[in-house]
Amino acid sequence: MCAIKSETPPPSESTAPSPPPLPWSYAVEEEPPEADIDKDVLCPICMQIIKDAFMAACGHSFCYTCITIHLRNKSDCPCCFRYLTNNHIFPNFLLNKLLKKISARQSARNASPVEHFRQTILQGCEVSAKELDSLLSLLVDKKRTMEQNEAETNMQILLDFLNCLRKKKLEELNQVKTDLQYIKEDTASVKKRIMELYMAKERRSMNIRMLIDDSLAAKTLPLSIDQHNNGTISGGCKSQGWLGSASPQRTVGLKDQTSSWGFRSKDANDGLDSSYDTNSGLAVARKRRIHAQFNDLQECYLQKRQRRTKQFNKQEDKGPNVMEIDGYNPGLVDFQSVLSSFTRYSRLRVIAELRHGDIFHSANIVSSIEFDRDDEMFAIAGVSRRIKVFELSSIVNEPADVHCPIVEMSTRSKLSCLSWNKYTKNHIASCDYDGIITVWDITNRQSLMEYEEHEKRAWSIDFCPAEPSMLVSGSDDCKVKVWCMKQEASVLGINLNANVCSVKYNPGSSVHVAVGTADHQIRYYDLRNTSKPLYEFGGHKKAVSYVKFLSNRELASASTDSTLCLWDVKENSLLRTFRGHKNERNFVGLTAYSDYIACGSETNEVFVYHKAISKPAARYSFGSDMADADEEAGSYFISAVCWKSDSQTMLAANSRGTIKVLVLAA
């Protein structure tokens, strides 16, 4: 039987009598604080409450497991260091009993009120039927309240989800309606434009036919008159008959042509695609490319359409847009340009090949390949410690087993990068594995300037397009250096916290430089204030190996995470990410031309991307021509690529030393 607390004070006269205590108000005797209990029953070895207590001859108690393990290694008491063996330890029955009570009290103290009540009932506490009815009523009401609250909570969560889903779908529906309106407007504009082109074509055809008929009539009439004068045709009636017969024939012919033109115009209204030769191989191939990249093209169309519409809405107060008045949206014009250029090319075709293998050097990796100012010559450099200059026309127009360079210059160290001067045709800069920056004059094959401030390997060098005497370099010493050919030392330095892999001047500025580093970042600096970059682009997951400008505001970057990225340096935003090639270890090259970006791959392939589409537009494999190689083609990789300015022609080199002239083809 449980004892009810007797210390409850009797009710005073000024207070209402308190209700009888509930069954779970029965309590155990007061216990000493937990800290005091634990302090007395901790095992000196494991510092936890003793389990299965054993006492040593010296009087100290331990967990049985702890003391037996201790005695396997030592023969003394862990507390007083007296001699002790397994024969001198005995069960501590009193302490074990006390520990069981302590454990029971702690369990009771930590138990929930429901557990207290359950234990009270199980222990045989007497409770009247009236008290049980009251308790059951309370429990039923409590259960109903909890179930109702839970149901309301669940319904509210469901309602919130449905409202959120409805809002999202309405937004999507509104966007779809807007997109459909764009498509409807653009479809009408395109049909109108096709009709105009078709009508113009028919008018030109009609004019040509009329000119031909007039020319034939002009030649036939003098001949008839001559025949009449010579007596070949007698009588004015016959002559009149000829004239009368000729004129109706011509009139009928013109009517037939006019009716035919009108009939074809009607056909054009019914089917505007009639002028599009769907049976031609080129048209079929272009359609196939559209369907292969339909999702990306769809995204590109909607992005350009929405962006142009927002721009037009912001500028509508400044004046009407001529193309909008004509019903031809600028966004559609932009997308038409993308669609036309993207579907125009689908492959890379080899037009020439150059093997620059050196019998004195087994290593032939081409680290850099660059065209000169006029795109007449190109220079290559790499681990062979030589800069070689070739004429492009001789490579393309004069096939030969061996092509000799027109200029060859030796260096002390392996070369990592080249850069031609954009104004002085015979000046070229190089950087090498020793960190030396050298400016060469290819006319006399001599170095003009040498800079040795970098402490480690220099990866990148670039002449400024806007200021021909300035150049910038980046190195493994985590420094960017700006040089002037008129001075013997650097004019500016930028210290970074990561290895510098690539540097590039903005083509429209002499003070803006993009820097790619090994910490996955691209920093865009204004050289007039280098305390911090203007922008930092952080989209890559590994080292940024190359940066190249497509225009004054578009910057492409390559990384060893097997991606390319396109950035807007004016708005500090990522425009697109390109995937398809493989690049995890090596520098595989990066180059840009107009709307296209090209890079190499560790699969020994060249990949070409259109800047508006994230998947490859064309690719070419060097491996197909390497069946006679000593090693497998997979052991080679593309090491350098370079576009010829304003041309579909590209140079590509691989780690075997093979250089190919490629051209974009349909």
Side-chain angles (χ1 to χ4, degrees):
M1 297 293 292
C2 296
I4 302 175
K5 280 189 176 181
S6 60
E7 291 81 2
T8 305
S12 63
E13 295 180 357
S14 59
T15 59
S18 61
L22 293 176
W24 53 75
S25 64
Y26 296 96
V28 296
E29 298 177 0
E30 291 190 7
E31 302 168 356
E34 184 178 355
D36 294 340
I37 294 175
D38 292 345
K39 183 177 180 181
D40 293 334
V41 296
L42 293 181
C43 172
I45 298 176
C46 66
M47 301 307 295
Q48 302 293 327
I49 295 178
I50 296 176
K51 295 180 181 179
D52 193 12
F54 266 65
M55 182 174 64
C58 58
H60 296 103
S61 295
F62 311 92
C63 298
Y64 175 73
T65 303
C66 295
I67 191 61
T68 53
I69 293 175
H70 173 78
L71 292 178
R72 291 175 189 170
N73 302 317
K74 295 183 179 180
S75 298
D76 59 4
C77 174
C79 296
C80 62
F81 305 107
R82 292 185 180 180
Y83 178 75
L84 187 66
T85 65
N86 287 329
N87 296 327
H88 300 103
I89 59 174
F90 311 96
N92 192 337
F93 298 107
L94 181 62
L95 182 57
N96 281 330
K97 186 176 181 180
L98 177 62
L99 289 173
K100 288 181 180 179
K101 289 184 177 180
I102 292 174
S103 177
R105 289 173 182 175
Q106 287 181 338
S107 299
R109 184 168 58 248
N110 296 330
S112 64
V114 175
E115 182 64 23
H116 276 297
F117 179 62
R118 190 178 69 85
Q119 291 295 334
T120 301
I121 297 298
L122 292 176
Q123 291 174 7
C125 181
E126 293 184 356
V127 182
S128 67
K130 186 176 181 180
E131 289 176 331
L132 285 176
D133 289 339
S134 175
L135 289 173
L136 288 175
S137 177
L138 286 174
L139 291 174
V140 170
D141 291 342
K142 181 66 175 178
K143 180 182 178 182
R144 289 175 179 173
T145 302
M146 292 177 64
E147 289 176 346
Q148 183 178 359
N149 291 338
E150 183 178 2
E152 290 177 357
T153 301
N154 292 337
M155 289 297 103
Q156 187 61 46
I157 292 173
L158 179 59
L159 180 61
D160 292 342
F161 168 77
L162 293 175
N163 287 335
C164 182
L165 180 61
R166 180 176 179 274
K167 181 180 178 181
K168 182 178 180 181
K169 291 301 179 181
L170 285 175
E171 292 175 353
E172 293 178 358
L173 178 60
N174 292 333
Q175 187 60 55
V176 170
K177 289 180 178 179
T178 303
D179 294 343
L180 286 174
Q181 184 62 29
Y182 291 155
I183 296 171
K184 181 179 178 181
E185 294 173 0
D186 292 343
T187 300
S189 300
V190 171
K191 286 185 176 180
K192 179 181 177 182
R193 181 59 178 161
I194 291 176
M195 190 64 188
E196 291 173 353
L197 294 172
Y198 186 84
M199 298 289 285
K201 177 181 177 181
E202 289 296 326
R203 284 195 295 270
R204 287 195 299 271
S205 299
M206 188 65 183
N207 291 335
I208 291 173
R209 286 194 291 269
M210 291 180 66
L211 289 173
I212 292 174
D213 290 344
D214 290 342
S215 176
L216 290 174
K219 292 180 179 179
T220 305
L221 184 59
L223 178 60
S224 300
I225 294 174
D226 291 341
Q227 291 176 351
H228 175 73
N229 292 334
N230 293 330
T232 305
I233 301 177
S234 60
C237 293
K238 292 182 180 180
S239 177
Q240 290 177 359
W242 179 87
L243 290 172
S245 63
S247 182
Q249 288 176 358
R250 179 182 175 188
T251 303
V252 171
L254 292 176
K255 287 182 179 179
D256 292 341
Q257 292 172 356
T258 304
S259 63
S260 175
W261 175 82
F263 177 74
R264 284 196 295 269
S265 298
K266 182 178 180 181
D267 289 343
N269 282 322
D270 294 338
L272 294 176
D273 291 337
S274 60
S275 62
Y276 185 71
D277 186 6
T278 56
N279 294 324
S280 68
L282 181 59
V284 172
R286 296 184 74 171
K287 278 188 173 182
R288 190 181 299 116
R289 290 170 214 152
I290 291 175
H291 288 293
Q293 305 290 349
F294 187 83
N295 290 336
D296 285 340
L297 289 170
Q298 171 185 273
E299 181 183 357
C300 177
Y301 164 76
L302 295 176
Q303 285 180 350
K304 290 186 176 296
R305 195 63 165 82
Q306 293 164 6
R307 186 184 303 116
R308 283 291 193 167
T309 300
K310 292 179 182 178
Q311 293 176 355
F312 177 73
N313 292 336
K314 292 180 180 179
Q315 299 176 357
E316 59 183 355
D317 296 334
K318 298 181 181 180
N321 188 300
V322 176
M323 301 188 76
E324 281 289 339
I325 293 175
D326 293 340
Y328 212 56
N329 188 276
L332 182 60
V333 177
D334 293 345
F335 178 71
Q336 182 184 12
S337 175
V338 170
L339 189 65
S340 176
S341 60
F342 175 74
T343 57
R344 185 177 297 121
Y345 308 114
S346 64
R347 63 190 179 94
L348 288 167
R349 180 169 57 89
V350 179
I351 60 174
E353 181 175 345
L354 166 69
R355 294 182 184 271
H356 87 112
D358 193 331
I359 61 175
F360 300 106
H361 298 87
S362 58
N364 293 319
I365 297 178
V366 178
S367 303
S368 181
I369 183 166
E370 294 288 330
F371 277 105
D372 75 333
R373 180 194 65 187
D374 301 326
D375 294 323
E376 296 173 349
M377 302 181 295
F378 64 90
I380 62 173
V383 299
S384 63
R385 297 182 175 87
R386 294 167 183 263
I387 300 174
K388 299 179 182 181
V389 180
F390 298 87
E391 280 188 346
L392 179 64
S393 59
S394 64
I395 303 298
V396 175
N397 300 325
E398 301 175 9
D401 294 335
V402 177
H403 292 94
C404 297
I406 59 174
V407 175
E408 184 170 351
M409 298 174 290
S410 298
T411 61
R412 296 191 298 269
S413 180
K414 298 176 182 179
L415 297 168
S416 51
C417 187
L418 296 174
S419 178
W420 284 91
N421 192 297
K422 309 304 184 290
Y423 286 86
T424 307
K425 184 179 178 68
N426 60 323
H427 286 179
I428 188 171
S430 68
C431 60
D432 62 28
Y433 282 32
D434 290 335
I436 299 174
I437 309 300
T438 308
V439 180
W440 304 83
D441 185 339
I442 65 170
T443 304
N444 55 26
R445 298 172 173 80
Q446 297 294 324
S447 63
L448 299 176
M449 301 291 293
E450 280 194 2
Y451 305 102
E452 301 184 5
E453 293 184 21
H454 281 302
E455 300 169 4
K456 295 183 179 180
R457 173 169 47 188
W459 280 112
S460 183
I461 184 76
D462 187 45
F463 265 112
C464 177
E467 177 53 57
S469 64
M470 304 296 294
L471 58 161
V472 63
S473 63
S475 167
D476 270 343
D477 61 5
C478 306
K479 295 178 182 178
V480 175
K481 297 282 188 180
V482 180
W483 316 89
C484 179
M485 292 179 59
K486 301 175 183 178
Q487 301 183 25
E488 296 183 355
S490 61
V491 297
L492 184 65
I494 304 174
N495 295 325
L496 302 175
N497 296 322
N499 297 22
V500 179
C501 302
S502 181
V503 292
K504 203 72 178 177
Y505 270 106
N506 188 312
S509 171
S510 61
V511 296
H512 291 105
V513 174
V515 181
T517 54
D519 62 352
H520 319 167
Q521 300 292 313
I522 302 162
R523 296 169 175 84
Y524 189 58
Y525 281 97
D526 185 334
L527 298 181
R528 294 168 295 186
N529 180 15
T530 59
S531 58
K532 64 177 182 179
L534 288 176
Y535 303 120
E536 290 191 30
F537 306 107
H540 288 294
K541 297 180 181 179
K542 291 186 178 181
V544 179
S545 49
Y546 295 96
V547 289
K548 296 281 184 179
F549 281 93
L550 278 74
S551 63
N552 293 350
R553 67 180 302 160
E554 293 176 316
L555 174 68
S557 62
S559 169
T560 51
D561 62 2
S562 297
T563 65
L564 306 181
C565 288
L566 184 63
W567 312 89
D568 188 329
V569 297
K570 301 294 185 182
E571 297 184 359
N572 187 22
S573 61
L574 173 64
L575 300 177
R576 200 167 308 280
T577 300
F578 307 90
R579 292 182 174 88
H581 63 286
K582 180 182 179 181
N583 180 204
E584 299 176 351
R585 298 176 55 191
N586 303 289
F587 282 38
V588 296
L590 178 69
T591 185
Y593 143 73
S594 183
D595 293 336
Y596 289 94
I597 305 170
C599 69
S601 173
E602 289 170 358
T603 57
N604 208 25
E605 295 174 287
V606 179
F607 283 77
V608 177
Y609 298 90
H610 191 284
K611 69 178 184 180
I613 307 298
S614 60
K615 296 179 182 177
R619 64 202 299 180
Y620 175 80
S621 174
F622 273 47
S624 59
D625 302 329
M626 300 177 64
D628 58 340
D630 295 335
E631 300 178 22
E632 295 183 358
S635 63
Y636 298 109
F637 60 91
I638 302 300
S639 56
V641 289
C642 183
W643 283 110
K644 182 181 178 184
S645 301
D646 300 325
S647 169
Q648 294 83 37
T649 304
M650 180 206 314
L651 294 174
N654 74 346
S655 56
R656 189 189 182 200
T658 302
I659 300 174
K660 295 189 179 184
V661 185
L662 306 173
V663 64
L664 280 173

